[in-house]
Amino acid sequence: YLMNGGTIRNCVIVSNKATFGGAGVMCRLGGLVQDCVISDNYGDDFGGGVFCSDGGTVEGCTILRNGVHGGYGGGVALNGGGLLKNSIIVSNDAWVLGGGVYCADGGVVQDCLIAQNVASNFGGGVYCNDGTVSRCTISNNWTYGVWPEGKGGGVLMTRTGLVENCNICNNYASDRAGGIALDTNCQVRDCIIQNNYAEYYAGGVYVDEGGTVCNCTVVHNEVRWVRGGGVHCYEGGRVINTIIYFAPTILETTGLE
């Protein structure tokens, strides 16, 4: 437990449990976790592997096979700030949001591999609520809930999140948005979104009640049952200067720019 600073470096943190969050490590109001392996830890609320609350940095870590039974961020939870960078986030699970990473209220995720994570409800790889995700590879993540859950196999964004310069590929959603879902004032820009799959809506990108997709390549995404293999815009949203290839696109209330 790090509070108001402190450093954990070059450690192996394995098979711990917590009734709240941060079963592996908890950082509050600062602290640095660097070059660690954090695996097989389980909590009931936030961040099975690492929970950063109101600050803290996780850098150069491998975070795998961690989970939360009823909460957010199976691998890592950043709430109220915090930075996750240059790390590998693999095979974590959350029963609610953010199988790999939960990023909220100013959290930042940079230069990470986020793969093979799972969430029952939303954001198999990443759940981003007023956070930023940049220069990451987000692949082979999935959601498995039934409608209206099971949304955002790779990423789910809400409020004012930003995802930029990411490769979002080979993700699966049991309902909608195999690759990424966004709403309101969220932005996705300069991303490659490819080979994602959803059962009902939007194999690639689902834009719901606002949000902007700009300068992206959306290619070879697929939906099984309903519509929007590439992009599905529902009740608002903008798609600007974007390549959409080898999949249909549905624009229910807006057009391409």
Side-chain angles (χ1 to χ4, degrees):
Y1 181 82
L2 302 177
M3 185 169 182
N4 294 318
T7 299
I8 298 174
R9 182 180 289 122
N10 298 320
C11 292
V12 177
I13 301 168
V14 179
S15 299
N16 300 283
K17 295 182 179 180
T19 55
F20 177 59
V25 179
M26 182 168 181
C27 300
R28 183 169 176 81
L29 301 172
L32 172 65
V33 182
Q34 188 175 54
D35 299 326
C36 293
V37 176
I38 302 169
S39 70
D40 300 288
N41 303 284
Y42 285 87
D44 290 334
D45 204 339
F46 288 90
V50 182
F51 179 28
C52 292
S53 178
D54 301 313
T57 297
V58 180
E59 180 180 4
C61 292
T62 298
I63 300 171
L64 71 158
R65 297 191 305 271
N66 303 282
V68 286
H69 295 297
Y72 311 153
V76 179
L78 307 175
N79 192 30
L83 172 63
L84 171 65
K85 65 179 182 178
N86 299 320
S87 294
I88 297 171
I89 318 297
V90 174
S91 298
N92 303 280
D93 68 89
W95 283 15
V96 184
L97 308 175
V101 179
Y102 173 82
C103 176
D105 298 326
V108 176
V109 182
Q110 296 177 342
D111 303 305
C112 291
L113 170 63
I114 301 168
Q116 298 176 0
N117 303 285
V118 59
S120 64
N121 291 8
F122 307 114
V126 180
Y127 183 92
C128 180
N129 182 346
D130 284 343
T132 299
V133 181
S134 64
R135 302 188 302 274
C136 292
T137 296
I138 301 167
S139 67
N140 294 289
N141 304 282
W142 67 95
T143 60
Y144 60 86
V146 296
W147 185 90
E149 299 169 354
K151 182 177 176 182
V155 183
L156 189 142
M157 306 168 59
T158 187
R159 293 172 62 186
T160 58
L162 170 65
V163 174
E164 61 180 353
N165 296 302
C166 291
N167 185 2
I168 301 169
C169 62
N170 301 311
N171 301 285
Y172 167 82
S174 56
D175 182 42
R176 63 194 67 193
I180 184 167
L182 61 151
D183 65 18
T184 57
N185 295 312
C186 296
Q187 296 184 48
V188 181
R189 65 189 187 206
D190 303 312
C191 290
I192 297 172
I193 302 165
Q194 62 180 341
N195 298 325
N196 301 286
Y197 185 91
E199 291 291 337
Y200 291 98
Y201 293 93
V205 183
Y206 186 84
V207 185
D208 187 6
E209 298 181 356
T212 301
V213 180
C214 182
N215 297 332
C216 292
T217 298
V218 183
V219 59
H220 288 280
N221 300 282
E222 185 178 353
V223 64
R224 182 179 183 186
W225 291 112
V226 187
R227 61 182 75 181
V231 178
H232 185 113
C233 291
Y234 179 74
E235 295 187 355
R238 304 169 68 197
V239 180
I240 303 170
N241 195 34
T242 289
I243 297 169
I244 304 168
Y245 177 73
F246 201 73
T249 293
I250 301 297
L251 303 165
E252 295 196 357
T253 60
T254 187
L256 298 173
E257 298 181 24

